Amino acid sequence: MNDLQTPLILLLLLEVVFIVPTAGSVSAAGASPVLFPNGGFETFPSGGQDDWVWPSSDWTWDGGVAHSGARSARVQRSSGDETASLISAYMPVQPSTVYTFTYWLRTQTATWYPAVNVYQYTGAGVLTGLRLAAHANVGDGTNDWMPVTYRFQTMPDADRIRVRLFLWTNTTGTFWFDDFSLDQGLPARYPFQDGFPVAASGSIFFCSPAVADVDGDGDNELLVGGGNRVDGWDDTGAWLPGFPLATGDRHIVGHLALADLDGDRDLEIVAGTRTPVANGQGRVFVWHHTGTLLGGWPKSVAWEPQYSHNDSRVTSVVLADIDGDDDWEILASTSNNATDYYGSAPRPTPDLYAWHADGTLVAGVWPAWHTIAGFYGVIAAGDFSGDGVADVIAARDHHYLNAYASDGRSLPGWPIQTFVNANSGNYHTDARLEYSDNAPMLADIEGDGTVEAIVAGNVKGPGNQNIVLNSGVLVLEPDGTRQPGWETAALGDGILEDADLPQQAPAVADLDRDGRLEIVIATHDGWIRAYRADQTILWAFNYSQGTDLFASEPVIGDIDGDGALEIVFGTYVPVQWEAQWSGPVGVWGLEADGTVMPGFPLPVSTPGVRGAPALADLDEDGDLEILAGARVGHVFAWDVPTPYDPALLPWPTGRHDLRRSGAYVWSGPDFRPSHKFATPAAARRGETVTFTVRVDSTLPTTQTVRVTDTVPAGLAYVPGTLAATLGIVTDTTGALLWSGALSTTSTVDITYQVTVTTAATQLISNTAFIETGVDGLLPRTGYVIANGISTYMPLILKSYWRSVLDLVSSGPLHIRQQV
């Protein structure tokens, strides 16, 4: 029987109500204008809630300059305090809806963008959400009339907005404003998670949001590097006790890395910093989840004060077992270099570190270095050589690639030179690939048991020509030779802008279900592509849409619940001289075939998202959230009505995992495939259900694993039914316990029975906590539909069914597919 002949079995909980939209609803055809009172300043503002509140100083009602009509609003500043504010009327908005705010701006000798802020209010007049800033590109300071467009999503409790204009103390020059407008778009397909967005302590650069149960209490926390601090929130957006964690340095550049470093079953937090002064020393910090520093930390990294320029930064931190001792080592890359040295012998410039958790260096020649180049991208760590422990793949600011063993020495065949057409060539005549911004990764893309290194570089040369001309992608074997089909680098279509270049970080997943991995990467030309293992292109998508935008590293997972994989990534404006901040940025979602998903791009604050988004179940309600950190320090979380399934999240966060390995291979046990389910998934009062907790590791391991499971209200444990295929089980009052080691197998099933005791019709969540030691505390949830009514409904085509679900999403319709 094929899928079209199979009846769709649904459980209807409570009452099915179809709500027909009213005549005033926004159609899917396009936007609907919202009245912006006196948006063109054609009458002098009367003040109050229905017009602009005109300040008593700094602003001029200009009758000589206008974009349209006869008038505009002009403000000028040369020194002193910020100017007075011009504040708009209140405008009604719908909650969880996408809006486009537009105004026209003219500038003369401007030094920075003006402050144009949008504030949201509830029906009671209370501020809700974050202050939103509609930035403008002022360029060289003098511009004729230009439109500034800002797209945003309202809060779930928003009722009205207003706009505030002023010049802050960083801004001088003369500015004219005219023709303000507001357009209402479609209801947001993905509303904000309760409590979000939140404001970080400062700018977010390449840091992907980290979601994990950091303290081992069974609840997830959210961490991000904001400015020079580590910020932390619970799943409601409330600050964690003791956070933020201050570094005292300039800022955190890259990802935070998380793992249990000291064996106490909670997670430590690792971050690298950038020094606030030239010739300083960046540092690596390691904190307990409580915010206290682990013994031996922080560590300062070396800096070449005589021949280096710029300032010292730790560009990446990675956690990996490089020496086979079954615990994590802390790896760090730094920008230490000696590019102004022109002598015959290279200057020692240590810039690649490997420490134990206690802060001592790993045995060997650590810290390592190669010629006089530093890191401005990141490193990857995984078992590349096939010896069972992680190796380190490194690409510094030159045209060499290197691979390191556990002792800090290069693997056989490495380092290699990389020219566009070969691993050897003539520097003066051949175009080369160099790696000032890069993020290599490791994966077995063909499924043949051999791990490859995948890296993208900047095409430069020949000779000392340092202008970036293009992007090039390579796939390399463990001995440094090129994978068949990749003898010549896969090239992009040039470069949009030579400022704030992205790291060109590839991600991999089997998008077309052919048993091989595809490489997904955004390049400098405004395109994101999916390459097959033989370098043919599966699809290509122009994310820049005709503007100068770059893209973050992508993440990959099932976003819409169809079992196929989708690609999610952010875009950002290349920020140069702090004057160009405005652009059509967003978080994009693409189907496995490269087409845009409905509801995307998601609006974010300008100048956009440079670090990878993250896919996680932040609040552990069984469904997915999309998280992203915008450059201005806004952390977004969108609620996605798709079941959270780690097996369908092959690349869920920046650099693949919270250790930031950049590796789709693993040299130790990984318990993330573990899951929990109920049989049957639906039962009535008095009936029996069997729960199975499947502890699933990618490798056998001798370490002890523990599972704790407490039966929730509405269910009652059947005494004596707790059993397991191995290990020890204990059914104490109120808790079911299991412990054991998966030394001869990679899977254990723990089962027990419950009876349904509630008479209510409800979805009951039952969560088990798996104490892995390696991956921290993993919650896994099974579900029982209590007292539902089974019925058959005709199968409806996906596109029509999705529109029906959208239609009734605000009503009391509760549908679950019976498995």
Side-chain angles (χ1 to χ4, degrees), residues 193 196 198 207-225 230-237 240 243 255-260 266-270 289 555 612-629 635-639 644 646 649 651-660 672 774-780:
Q193 179 78 4
F196 290 86
V198 292
C207 186
S208 179
V211 176
D213 180 10
V214 180
D215 54 10
D217 67 351
D219 295 323
N220 279 334
E221 289 80 38
L222 167 62
L223 305 181
V224 73
V230 175
D231 294 326
W233 302 270
D234 65 17
D235 59 8
T236 69
L240 297 177
F243 282 76
H255 301 294
L256 305 177
L258 279 67
D260 181 7
D266 54 42
L267 303 183
E268 277 66 50
I269 306 159
V270 184
H289 73 273
V555 293
L615 307 175
D617 182 7
L618 174 61
D619 57 359
E620 297 177 293
D621 63 351
D623 62 25
L624 192 65
E625 282 81 47
I626 299 173
L627 302 103
V635 181
F636 295 87
W638 293 272
D639 196 27
Y644 172 72
L649 297 171
W651 198 280
T653 188
R655 305 300 288 154
H656 178 265
D657 48 65
L658 294 180
R659 295 177 295 277
R660 310 304 179 185
R672 289 173 299 169
V774 173
D775 287 325
L777 194 66
L778 301 179
R780 292 295 182 262

